[in-house]
Amino acid sequence: MEKHEEELIRTLIDRDPELRRYYEEHIELEKRLAALQHKHFLTPEEDLEKKRIQKVKLAGKDRIMEILGRYRSA
């Protein structure tokens, strides 16, 4: 996420529980993905998990952007 988006999220996170949930999930998925990316070799199961995490993370980011869009247009 870009810096201005992160700043907007920080201003809205306390009053929007849905945004908070998706943002916290996004941060957790980033950590899990980073742990997998630091490995020199991934088992087939780890590779599948990495791909699953990437898909979930992207879907969550899309949802975050939708929420931010509602605030920008309001």
Side-chain angles (χ1 to χ4, degrees):
M1 266 182 244
E2 294 184 25
K3 186 177 180 176
H4 69 279
E5 291 166 343
E6 295 238 359
E7 290 171 359
L8 180 57
I9 289 169
R10 286 192 186 98
T11 62
L12 299 171
I13 205 164
D14 288 332
R15 55 185 154 146
D16 191 318
E18 182 184 22
L19 178 61
R20 174 187 295 276
R21 181 173 61 88
Y22 281 110
Y23 184 69
E24 288 173 353
E25 178 184 72
H26 183 81
I27 298 300
E28 180 60 33
L29 292 172
E30 273 186 351
K31 290 176 188 176
R32 290 173 54 196
L33 192 55
L36 288 172
Q37 289 173 336
H38 284 6
K39 290 187 170 193
H40 295 293
F41 175 78
L42 295 178
T43 66
E45 293 81 16
E46 289 171 328
D47 191 48
L48 281 174
E49 178 66 4
K50 176 183 168 189
K51 290 175 183 174
R52 187 193 71 76
I53 290 171
Q54 288 171 326
K55 288 178 183 178
V56 172
K57 185 175 170 242
L58 183 58
K61 183 176 180 182
D62 288 346
R63 189 67 187 121
I64 289 170
M65 299 310 285
E66 287 176 24
I67 294 168
L68 293 180
R70 283 194 319 237
Y71 282 103
R72 286 185 181 125
S73 65

